[in-house]
Amino acid sequence: MLLLGVWDSLRRFFPCCLSIIILGILSTPAKACDSNASIANKNSESEGNKRTLGRIEITHESCRGLDFIRVRNGLNEAFYLAAAGLQAASDFSESPFSYFFQNNSEMATSVAGVYNRVQKALIGHGGRMRITCIDHYNACEEPGGRERLAYTMEYANKRLTPRIFICAAGLQLPRLAQPCTVNPGDWPFTMGSLMLHELIQVQPISGGRKVVDGSSTTAREVNDELKSGQDTTLNALAYSLLGLWAADLGLGGPPQQPCLEKFAAGNFDGSID
């Protein structure tokens, strides 16, 4: 949840929907507001300051050197995680799909559509987005030592390009995941799953639905939400975790043996029953 002081200072400038992912805590997005000149000025970078991956632009002025490489690799990884999620959706009656989403064809079609749009955006078929490694709105840190990994912004003025802001903590994430061996409650986020997580919250990819950060922080908590009847297709974490687990189970590549053992027991957050 945004701190009151931060929100008061940002509310005057944010013509957007703001979704924030916090290290250890997830917060819900703020409501959209009207655009203004200060945002337009920040959004008017020259073409020479951007590098593109499909129609997703990585701003050269902010993502330099290793940061640029990490973001680019994360986007490439997000493509393969989306492919693994697609394969999982094709077998919707079984885990891992049924662990995160309702196991019916309508739900599988909806989830597969999101992963498809991620892949299309990454190969240049979709709306433009920009990724920056500078915290323009001072939203990456809050008192108490908690750090945000990233946040997304969409603008009421549709001429302005949606943005993903990668925070310093996000840039330190590993490229490859080990979700099968982490301790319960630890985040299994990688740069690839973070990019997938953020891309899914942009409405051209979500399909116009309001996919946000929910209160869950582990796969087991997402599963608990599913069992309680909540619509997990509105929870960005469900998509990023399904992509991670599907990839580790061999959907799109070789499986990891520890993952197979956890998978057999239905443990998707590294816990032991």
Side-chain angles (χ1 to χ4, degrees), residues 30-246:
K31 295 181 180 180
C33 49
D34 294 331
S35 59
N36 61 30
S38 65
I39 296 297
N41 290 337
K42 286 180 178 290
N43 214 51
S44 60
E45 297 163 320
S46 68
E47 290 300 319
N49 286 333
K50 301 186 292 291
R51 306 182 194 180
T52 63
L53 190 154
R55 290 178 62 81
I56 297 175
E57 302 165 352
I58 305 173
T59 56
H60 175 56
E61 67 172 6
S62 66
C63 299
R64 296 178 178 273
L66 288 177
D67 288 347
F68 172 79
I69 294 172
R70 290 187 181 107
V71 172
R72 182 190 61 193
N73 288 343
L75 291 171
N76 290 334
E77 200 72 24
F79 184 93
Y80 292 106
L81 294 179
L86 270 172
Q87 290 195 46
S90 69
D91 193 10
F92 59 84
S93 64
E94 302 291 337
S95 289
F97 184 88
S98 61
Y99 194 86
F100 296 99
F101 300 102
Q102 294 178 18
N103 58 343
N104 59 63
S105 59
E106 181 180 357
M107 190 66 62
T109 299
S110 175
V111 171
V114 172
Y115 287 130
N116 265 316
R117 287 188 288 274
V118 168
Q119 290 190 310
K120 287 180 179 179
L122 288 169
I123 61 175
H125 302 290
R128 293 175 59 187
M129 282 173 275
R130 289 180 184 166
I131 298 174
T132 181
C133 302
I134 291 178
D135 181 14
H136 282 285
Y137 302 106
N138 299 316
C140 285
E141 297 182 6
E142 64 178 8
R146 294 180 297 191
E147 295 181 273
R148 297 183 173 106
L149 299 178
Y151 59 97
T152 63
M153 296 183 67
E154 293 184 87
Y155 302 89
N157 184 344
K158 298 305 179 183
R159 292 177 296 178
L160 301 181
T161 304
R163 287 190 173 195
I164 296 174
F165 297 86
I166 309 298
C167 300
L171 290 168
Q172 299 306 310
L173 290 173
R175 180 176 179 181
L176 300 177
Q178 294 182 331
C180 305
T181 57
V182 297
N183 295 321
D186 283 356
W187 278 27
F189 269 100
T190 64
M191 180 57 76
S193 63
L194 176 64
M195 297 311 306
L196 178 63
H197 188 278
E198 296 302 311
L199 287 169
I200 283 169
Q201 295 180 66
V202 180
Q203 289 201 25
I205 289 178
S206 70
R209 306 186 75 202
K210 195 172 183 180
V211 178
V212 300
D213 295 329
S215 60
S216 54
T217 59
T218 67
R220 189 173 294 261
E221 290 176 0
V222 175
N223 183 250
D224 288 341
E225 291 178 4
L226 178 65
K227 291 177 179 177
S228 70
Q230 297 183 50
D231 184 0
T232 54
T233 62
L234 301 180
N235 186 342
L237 187 62
Y239 295 91
S240 54
L241 285 176
L242 175 59
L244 276 174
W245 277 94

